[in-house]
Amino acid sequence: MIEPLHEELVEHPPAEARAQVRAGIQRLQRTQRKTAPIVPPHNIAGRALAFVIAIMTFLSCLTFGAVTLVRDTASIWENQIAREATIQIKPADGLDMDAALATAARIAGQFQGVRSARIVDREATARLLEPWLGSGLNIDELPVPRLVIVTIDQDNPPDFAAMRALLAPEVPAATLDDHRTWVDRLVAMARTMVTLGAAILVLMLSATVLTVVFATRGAMAGNLHIIEVLHFVGAEAGFIASQFRRHFLLTGMKGAAAGGAAAIIVFIFFSWWSSRNLATPEADQAAALFGNFSISAAGYGGVALVVLLIGVLTAATSHVTVMTYLKDIDVRHPDGS
């Protein structure tokens, strides 16, 4: 026993041996600091969850963008319709159309709240009918109604009932349309679409929460022995829950950011396509119904809000699920056995 020890001391002087011991202790401390996380940061379940969250975020952002587009378009329609009223004069035997148009414009222009009364001339009327009847129309040979466009002050609209009463004896063939029926229908449609879109958005967020619950339980099932050992040796529930919360927050934010970015790319593409095809009949009809497919700044802000909300919901749901599971362990094993 003494001879090997003597040989060891000869080969390794005490000072050098102490230095090696200190270096070994430092390496051990560094190794202990780099403890593995409870939830593996890169695994198949995490990537699948991020992919599912990306899909749900993409659909949620598309829904939010569609609701924003419908709401903005309906608002534009409402403002445009509310700014104008129309006097329509139907052809009749013995009716001097030009005189009737001038009389209707004069009567409408004398009301307070009317900014202008413009007669739609023959060329403009022919252009309105050109998509259906073709070019080269002679308006005087067809029983085509003529229009007077009345531009009104939205803050101080005229008395349409009084205008109708004054038009009736002067121009019996005239009909005043203030578009109030169309405005009411547009408002009702916009509210219905917004409500439906909000309901779909809530359902998607609920599905995301349920997906995170099952994914968290799956992750805990794969690390059940670690969780129970940590819990029984005295690790605080908040520490264990924080590990899962951090993991799922990062996973949720990655998936939500990818889905939100994909939705923004779709919005930009449709806006670009709409701007490139403004002259085509299809684009004109689509623009008349939905505008130019351009999402406002509020729409893009809503996409960012949806991404943040899904990330927060993912972290909060995982935290609540882990805490509930640990409480169940305490109930089933009150003595820590």
Side-chain angles (χ1 to χ4, degrees):
M1 293 293 293
I2 296 176
E3 290 180 357
L5 179 59
H6 179 266
E7 292 176 357
E8 183 71 15
L9 291 174
V10 170
E11 293 178 1
H12 300 283
E16 184 178 352
R18 287 195 296 270
Q20 291 179 356
V21 170
R22 285 197 297 269
I25 292 174
Q26 291 175 358
R27 286 195 300 269
L28 180 61
Q29 290 174 347
R30 287 195 296 269
T31 303
Q32 289 178 343
R33 290 194 193 101
K34 297 178 181 179
T35 57
I38 296 177
V39 183
H42 302 290
N43 55 11
I44 298 177
R47 289 193 292 268
L49 176 62
F51 186 70
V52 171
I53 291 177
I55 293 176
M56 291 185 173
T57 304
F58 175 72
L59 296 176
S60 299
C61 292
L62 284 185
T63 302
F64 188 89
V67 170
T68 303
L69 182 64
V70 170
R71 185 194 62 187
D72 294 342
T73 304
S75 178
I76 294 173
W77 286 351
E78 184 178 357
N79 291 332
Q80 289 178 346
I81 293 175
R83 285 198 301 264
E84 293 181 349
T86 304
I87 299 176
Q88 177 180 274
I89 302 178
K90 297 180 180 180
D93 295 337
L95 176 66
D96 187 349
M97 181 60 73
D98 292 334
L101 290 170
T103 303
R106 175 181 56 80
I107 293 175
Q110 69 186 18
F111 278 83
Q112 184 179 3
V114 174
R115 293 183 174 178
S116 65
R118 177 176 58 87
I119 299 174
V120 180
D121 57 21
R122 290 179 173 82
E123 291 76 11
T125 303
R127 285 196 298 271
L128 291 175
L129 298 175
E130 186 173 340
W132 292 273
L133 301 180
S135 58
L137 294 177
N138 187 356
I139 300 300
D140 295 331
E141 297 178 356
L142 297 174
V144 178
R146 300 289 299 278
L147 301 176
V148 177
I149 305 300
V150 180
T151 304
I152 63 178
D153 185 0
Q154 291 179 271
D155 299 328
N156 183 27
D159 187 350
F160 291 109
M163 189 181 298
R164 289 190 181 92
L166 193 57
L167 280 171
E170 296 287 338
V171 188
T175 303
L176 175 63
D177 184 6
D178 60 355
H179 310 302
R180 179 53 48 192
T181 301
W182 288 103
V183 171
D184 294 340
R185 291 179 180 177
L186 283 175
V187 171
M189 182 196 71
R191 289 177 179 174
T192 302
M193 293 297 294
V194 170
T195 302
L196 181 61
I200 295 175
L201 188 61
V202 170
L203 289 176
M204 288 183 178
L205 293 178
S206 301
T208 303
V209 171
L210 293 176
T211 302
V212 173
V213 170
F214 289 115
T216 306
R217 290 190 177 274
M220 287 190 300
N223 301 273
L224 187 60
H225 58 288
I226 300 176
I227 295 175
E228 292 184 346
V229 169
L230 288 174
H231 184 62
F232 289 146
V233 299
E236 296 181 356
F239 168 76
I240 302 175
S242 66
Q243 300 297 312
F244 282 89
R245 184 175 64 246
R246 185 181 302 110
H247 171 77
F248 282 100
L249 176 62
L250 294 176
T251 302
M253 289 304 297
K254 289 178 183 178
I264 290 176
I265 291 174
V266 171
F267 295 152
I268 294 175
F269 171 77
F270 275 107
S271 179
W272 171 81
W273 177 85
S274 177
S275 62
R276 288 289 301 271
N277 296 275
L278 289 177
T280 62
E282 295 82 2
D284 291 341
Q285 294 176 4
L289 290 176
F290 304 107
N292 59 354
F293 286 99
S294 178
I295 305 299
S296 62
Y300 289 107
V303 169
L305 183 62
V306 169
V307 170
L308 180 62
L309 179 61
I310 288 179
V312 172
L313 282 176
T314 304
T317 304
S318 64
H319 177 85
V320 172
T321 304
V322 172
M323 295 297 290
T324 303
Y325 183 77
L326 293 175
K327 289 180 181 179
D328 291 340
I329 293 179
D330 291 335
V331 172
R332 288 185 281 108
H333 306 282
D335 55 352
S337 60

